[in-house]
């Protein structure tokens, strides 16, 4: 994932970040960046590490969502996100009853059930930089 800092997408993202209000800019730079985008933090790396696809008007669009992007991964998550087109909002939905204070987890691999053995682990390592050793991945 070599990224050319002069590419159009990098320039657009950098310009958008520089146009943020100071508090929003600090929030943006506080998000994690996957190692696949390099060791040094970049607007492009942070954006694409935390980017969420949102189906809207039969098009794939997306962005960063200040709370949903903070959710950690679990291969057996207790919540998922969904886009409510009529309300134009991305919402988090519990998959089961949750206890007060319980951490919310999403599956970074999406809603796919057709992963072959080892594919999930490879995907998580490649795009998020961690080796998952849960029962689903092993």
């Amino acid at each position: 994932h070599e990224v050319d800092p002069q590419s159009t997408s990098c320039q657009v993202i950098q310009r958008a970040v520089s146009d943020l209000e100071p508090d929003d800019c600090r929030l943006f730079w506080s998000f994690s960046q996957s190692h696949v985008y390099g060791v040094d933090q970049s607007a492009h790396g942070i954006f694409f590490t935390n980017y969420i696809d949102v189906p809207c008007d039969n098009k794939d669009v997306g962005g960063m969502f200040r709370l949903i992007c903070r959710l950690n991964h679990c291969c057996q998550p207790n919540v998922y996100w969904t886009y409510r087109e009529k309300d134009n909002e991305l919402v988090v939905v519990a998959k089961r009853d949750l206890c007060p204070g319980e951490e919310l987890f999403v599956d970074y691999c999406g809603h796919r059930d057709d992963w072959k053995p080892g594919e999930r682990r490879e995907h998580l390592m490649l795009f998020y930089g961690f080796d998952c050793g849960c029962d689903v991945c092993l």
Side-chain angles (χ1 to χ4, degrees), residues 64-83:
M64 289 179 63
F65 299 83
R66 65 178 65 218
L67 297 177
I68 294 175
C69 290
R70 296 285 190 194
L71 298 177
N72 286 318
H73 168 80
C74 179
C75 292
Q76 296 175 314
N78 54 13
V79 299
Y80 64 94
W81 61 70
T82 186
Y83 178 68

Side-chain angles (χ1 to χ4, degrees), residues 14 28-33 37-46:
Q14 185 61 51
F28 176 87
W29 288 106
S30 74
F31 282 93
S32 296
Q33 173 177 304
Y37 296 105
V39 177
D40 296 328
Q41 264 194 327
S42 67
H44 182 270
I46 291 171

Side-chain angles (χ1 to χ4, degrees), residues 11 19 28 35 50 80 95 101 105 107:
Q11 291 175 354
D19 288 344
F28 176 87
H35 71 286
N50 295 283
Y80 64 94
K95 295 178 83 170
F105 291 100
D107 183 352

Side-chain angles (χ1 to χ4, degrees), residues 6-70:
Q6 300 306 315
S7 72
T8 303
S9 67
C10 286
Q11 291 175 354
V12 168
I13 293 166
Q14 185 61 51
R15 193 170 25 253
V17 171
S18 66
D19 288 344
L20 292 171
E21 294 296 322
D23 286 346
D24 290 331
C25 191
R26 279 190 291 281
L27 175 66
F28 176 87
W29 288 106
S30 74
F31 282 93
S32 296
Q33 173 177 304
S34 173
H35 71 286
V36 301
Y37 296 105
V39 177
D40 296 328
Q41 264 194 327
S42 67
H44 182 270
I46 291 171
F47 180 78
F48 283 106
T49 298
N50 295 283
Y51 180 86
I52 295 175
D53 284 319
V54 178
C56 179
D57 296 328
N58 297 319
K59 294 181 232 166
D60 284 334
V61 296
M64 289 179 63
F65 299 83
R66 65 178 65 218
L67 297 177
I68 294 175
C69 290
R70 296 285 190 194

